Amino acid sequence: MIRIRAAVRDLEEYRPGAFVAGAIKLSSNENPLGTSEKVKTAILESMERGRLDLSKYPWSGDELELRREIAAYLDVDEDRIVTGAGIDGVLDTLVKIFIDAGDEGLIPIPTFSLYESLVKIAGGTPRYVRRDRDFSVAVDAIASAYNDRTKMIFLASPNNPSGNSLTEAEVRKIATIAAKSVVVIDEAYAEFASRSMVNLVDDEDNIVVLRTFSKAFALAGLRVGYAVVPVWLADVYRRVAMPFSVNNIAIVAAIAALRDKEHLRKTIELVREGRAYLIEHLRPLFRVLPSDANFVLVDVSPARSRTVYEALLRRGIVVRDCSSFRGAGDSLIRITVGTKDQNEKVVEALEAIKATIAHF
Ligand SMILES: Cc1ncc(COP(=O)(O)O)c(C=O)c1O
């Protein structure tokens, strides 16, 4: 028998939001506007002009241009930007850098499941800290769980699936408690929120902020993400990362997406309006959490999330049943903010479902 490492033997496969042909997909927090026309044109024109040549490996000059554009977008130094195949790819590299067998990664739950998988794959141990009822992270709980083996702390802000953000004061406190660890702030949804921790990377030597082109920039299919890191980390990151992890098309598309400010503005406006609409119309039916992201978390109790998920599916709408999130219980569904029409359909469907809940 060929041996498989013990660390990966019982690993669970990552479960993405479901896709059901013909249904409205509100299960993966994608952009309701779709990809910008300017991005599509940039890809086609770059190919026609020969600048985008798929027979060639990505060129470091193009990657540098992308980093420059990102640096200008965030108003940070380009030396602090590192890139990867989505935030997933960036996280993979970071965990390789910091987690050895026996090390711990601190994870407030419920949250994005990849953190725990990557820590386990590296041979480390995820240590879970339960979030409060409002899903905030208790800094005291982090302090109690923190120990000599803690090498990374994973904080999504806004958090998936709850949608709430950390405050700057909380992040600073955690960074001080965890002075010998890397504090990862996953800002996949930051464009929809009103705050970002990017500026903290300048002040604190152990904070890393992750960003993506998958959400507000509508490029989830191309897999482009990046991190703002302290300068000491940028060099080792580049040595550890897979070569060419951001592909040729992704580089051209990400640059064009950053330049299309109008598409970004429209996306943010649509999401903020849709989010307010969903919260206002779903609150009479269920407990709905406040959200800084492009989704809302709904507690459908006394019904089970699975039952409501299936009832929505029968009405042609796919949302995320959060029972697969560690520590989320079995009554939470997460709904991505869609177009106006899609949001109205969700509200209509949930009103009808709520009326039947007594029979579940
Ligand atoms: C908190 C969080 N981080 C990261 C990701 C993945 O981002 P990317 O598409 O850039 O890999 C997601 C995707 O849903 C997410 O919710």
Side-chain angles (χ1 to χ4, degrees):
M1 257 279 274
I2 296 176
R3 189 183 146 271
I4 292 171
R5 287 174 57 228
V8 299
R9 227 171 273 153
D10 299 322
L11 206 66
E12 280 190 30
E13 189 174 333
Y14 177 75
R15 280 192 247 169
F19 171 79
V20 177
I24 298 171
K25 184 171 187 263
L26 301 176
S27 54
S28 299
N29 306 334
E30 291 144 338
N31 189 315
L33 282 183
T35 305
S36 137
E37 290 307 316
K38 288 193 176 152
V39 168
K40 294 180 197 167
T41 307
I43 293 171
L44 293 175
E45 281 184 356
S46 303
M47 280 185 122
E48 275 159 18
R49 291 205 202 110
R51 183 189 155 190
L52 179 54
D53 182 346
L54 301 187
S55 71
K56 298 282 192 291
Y57 285 101
W59 177 52
S60 58
D62 287 339
E63 205 253 354
L64 179 62
E65 189 182 338
L66 172 59
R67 282 199 276 126
R68 284 200 176 127
E69 294 274 347
I70 294 168
Y73 166 60
L74 295 181
D75 195 20
V76 299
D77 198 281
E78 78 199 36
D79 293 344
R80 290 175 178 273
I81 306 293
V82 295
T83 56
I87 284 181
D88 295 353
V90 176
L91 279 166
D92 185 45
T93 303
L94 291 172
V95 172
K96 279 183 188 155
I97 296 172
F98 295 108
I99 302 281
D100 254 334
D103 289 341
E104 290 184 3
L106 234 167
I107 307 174
I109 54 167
T111 194
F112 186 47
S113 67
L114 194 71
Y115 311 142
E116 77 169 73
S117 305
L118 290 174
V119 171
K120 286 179 184 165
I121 292 167
T125 307
R127 180 180 275 260
Y128 307 109
V129 175
R130 201 162 263 289
R131 288 170 177 262
D132 292 340
R133 187 178 136 77
D134 65 355
F135 297 96
S136 58
V137 178
V139 175
D140 292 352
I142 298 282
S144 321
Y146 186 76
N147 64 64
D148 286 349
R149 293 181 301 280
T150 313
K151 295 295 168 359
M152 299 180 84
I153 301 182
F154 297 90
L155 303 169
S157 181
N159 184 47
N160 174 10
S162 50
N164 59 317
S165 303
L166 286 148
T167 64
E168 190 175 312
E170 286 166 335
V171 173
R172 281 194 196 273
K173 273 191 212 153
I174 293 170
T176 307
I177 293 164
K180 289 190 184 145
S181 309
V182 169
V183 180
V184 176
I185 313 292
D186 181 344
E187 291 195 345
Y189 303 99
E191 278 84 2
F192 308 113
S194 47
R195 60 175 94 126
S196 163
M197 305 297 158
V198 161
N199 62 316
L200 298 195
V201 181
D202 258 345
D203 306 348
E204 313 276 348
D205 229 17
N206 59 336
I207 292 182
V208 167
V209 175
L210 312 184
R211 290 289 194 94
T212 183
F213 284 89
S214 299
K215 310 295 179 184
F217 291 100
L219 294 177
L222 282 181
R223 318 300 305 120
V224 202
Y226 57 96
V228 187
V229 301
V231 172
W232 63 266
L233 180 54
D235 172 58
V236 60
Y237 181 99
R238 292 197 182 100
R239 282 183 278 134
V240 174
M242 281 291 191
F244 313 120
S245 44
V246 183
N247 70 65
N248 285 343
I249 302 180
I251 292 174
V252 169
I255 291 172
L258 279 170
R259 289 178 183 167
D260 189 354
K261 303 273 184 250
E262 187 52 17
H263 193 264
L264 178 64
R265 192 194 62 72
K266 274 194 198 147
T267 298
I268 294 171
E269 190 177 282
L270 185 73
V271 166
R272 288 187 176 160
E273 279 174 15
R275 185 172 69 192
Y277 171 87
L278 285 176
I279 291 174
E280 184 192 335
H281 288 82
L282 296 180
R283 278 215 168 130
L285 309 174
F286 301 106
R287 177 180 176 227
V288 184
L289 278 297
S291 172
D292 289 334
N294 66 341
F295 53 83
V296 293
L297 187 67
V298 181
D299 185 344
V300 296
S301 52
R304 297 267 169 275
S305 52
R306 190 76 207 161
T307 316
V308 174
Y309 168 85
E310 281 166 2
L312 280 169
L313 190 56
R314 282 195 293 276
R315 290 164 188 270
I317 300 167
V318 195
V319 298
R320 181 75 190 237
D321 166 10
C322 295
S323 54
S324 62
F325 281 73
R326 181 182 297 280
D330 60 1
S331 67
L332 299 175
I333 58 167
R334 190 194 66 198
I335 308 171
T336 304
V337 178
T339 59
K340 192 163 177 289
D341 180 52
Q342 291 172 337
N343 299 334
E344 284 167 5
K345 289 202 167 106
V346 168
V347 169
E348 237 169 70
L350 280 171
E351 280 169 350
I353 291 166
K354 165 81 182 190
T356 69
I357 269 183
H359 310 298
F360 286 165

